[in-house]
Amino acid sequence: GQSLEQPSEVTAVEGAIVQINCTYQTSGFYGLSWYQQHDGGAPTFLSYNALDGLEETGRFSSFLSRSDSYGYLLLQELQMKDSASYFCAVLRVAGKSTFGDGTTLTVKP
Amino acid sequence: DTAVSQTPKYLVTQMGNDKSIKCEQNLGHDTMYWYKQDSKKFLKIMFSYNNKELIINETVPNRFSPKSPDKAHLNLHINSLELGDSAVYFCASSQAPGDSYEQYFGPGTRLTVT
């Protein structure tokens, strides 16, 4: 089967840097996505890593190590609006993404 | 312009009833999905259609039946609703099955079964 693990909660202060880790066990791995979901909202796509290394998009970066079955989402210069749930999702066989259980990020003043 | 839309946004109904949720995307995508998000925010895929054909059918009670009249629409019909069906149901789409790493989600339908 497959499994994804990510912390259930993370707390940080405005302006800080936070890293949300995701480890996975799966067969037929294609890549790792990250989604953000605000309370009451829909998940929105943030980033995708198919190859090892760091992908940067503004204040957000995502990293993947295929050999370690591990990835992370790095959020820099945290803002209050970054308080949300963050999901990692493994893309396996074409058309199937399995989502982790989500990490609730709370940004404090 | 709305990319992925769902109706209704809220649905309150009694146990045993049958209800439908509709989804439409105007992105020109070939692949559409239904997800269930429970009260603990766990997001689980239920179904996926590619160009009107079912390609993913997770372990979902057969009371749930998706229907795709065309590739821009994916509806979800639920028979004999149960309390445990209460959740938020999200429709999503992607360009193609292989692009499911980047999905566009609708606003969700909050279903409450009493």
Side-chain angles (χ1 to χ4, degrees):
Chain A
Q2 63 272 1
S3 67
L4 292 94
E5 286 191 18
Q6 51 182 129
S8 57
E9 295 179 347
V10 172
T11 301
V13 296
E14 257 188 312
I17 298 173
V18 72
Q19 178 173 312
I20 300 173
N21 298 321
C22 176
T23 57
Y24 58 87
Q25 281 188 313
T26 187
S27 57
F29 177 82
Y30 278 49
L32 189 71
S33 298
W34 288 92
Y35 288 79
Q36 178 191 60
Q37 184 181 27
H38 286 101
D39 264 351
T44 56
F45 173 77
L46 290 177
S47 67
Y48 174 67
N49 295 68
L51 303 174
D52 286 358
L54 191 68
E55 296 274 347
E56 297 182 60
T57 311
R59 294 187 297 113
F60 294 4
S61 303
S62 57
F63 172 83
L64 176 66
S65 168
R66 295 173 72 106
S67 58
D68 295 323
S69 298
Y70 163 75
Y72 65 73
L73 180 69
L74 190 74
L75 298 87
Q76 302 182 73
E77 301 171 21
L78 278 174
Q79 301 175 9
M80 298 296 289
K81 68 178 182 179
D82 297 329
S83 291
S85 293
Y86 293 84
F87 295 86
C88 59
V90 163
L91 175 62
R92 300 193 305 120
V93 297
K96 186 164 185 176
S97 281
T98 301
F99 283 74
D101 291 343
T103 299
T104 300
L105 170 65
T106 302
V107 180
K108 296 188 171 179
Chain B
D1 287 345
T2 304
V4 182
S5 58
Q6 294 178 230
T7 53
K9 190 166 174 61
Y10 299 96
L11 186 53
V12 181
T13 188
Q14 292 185 328
M15 284 174 56
N17 284 349
D18 302 338
K19 291 292 177 186
S20 291
I21 307 171
K22 295 187 175 183
C23 177
E24 177 181 1
Q25 54 94 4
N26 63 7
L27 297 167
H29 288 169
D30 283 345
T31 310
M32 297 184 72
Y33 312 81
W34 275 112
Y35 286 87
K36 178 181 180 181
Q37 186 170 46
D38 62 20
S39 56
K40 294 185 179 177
K41 295 189 177 179
F42 299 151
L43 196 59
K44 302 298 180 195
I45 190 167
M46 301 172 70
F47 304 101
S48 175
Y49 271 72
N50 182 54
N51 222 349
K52 301 193 298 175
E53 286 191 23
L54 181 67
I55 57 171
I56 294 173
N57 185 353
E58 288 297 281
T59 308
V60 175
N62 57 16
R63 298 182 294 104
F64 291 79
S65 53
K67 281 192 172 52
S68 182
D70 56 62
K71 73 173 194 177
H73 295 84
L74 181 61
N75 304 323
L76 184 66
H77 188 76
I78 316 170
N79 288 327
S80 304
L81 278 155
E82 300 177 358
L83 291 177
D85 297 332
S86 294
V88 180
Y89 292 83
F90 286 102
C91 175
S93 72
S94 67
Q95 189 101 12
D99 299 315
S100 71
Y101 60 85
E102 182 174 357
Q103 296 180 32
Y104 293 78
F105 282 78
T109 295
R110 183 172 293 276
L111 172 65
T112 303
V113 182
T114 62

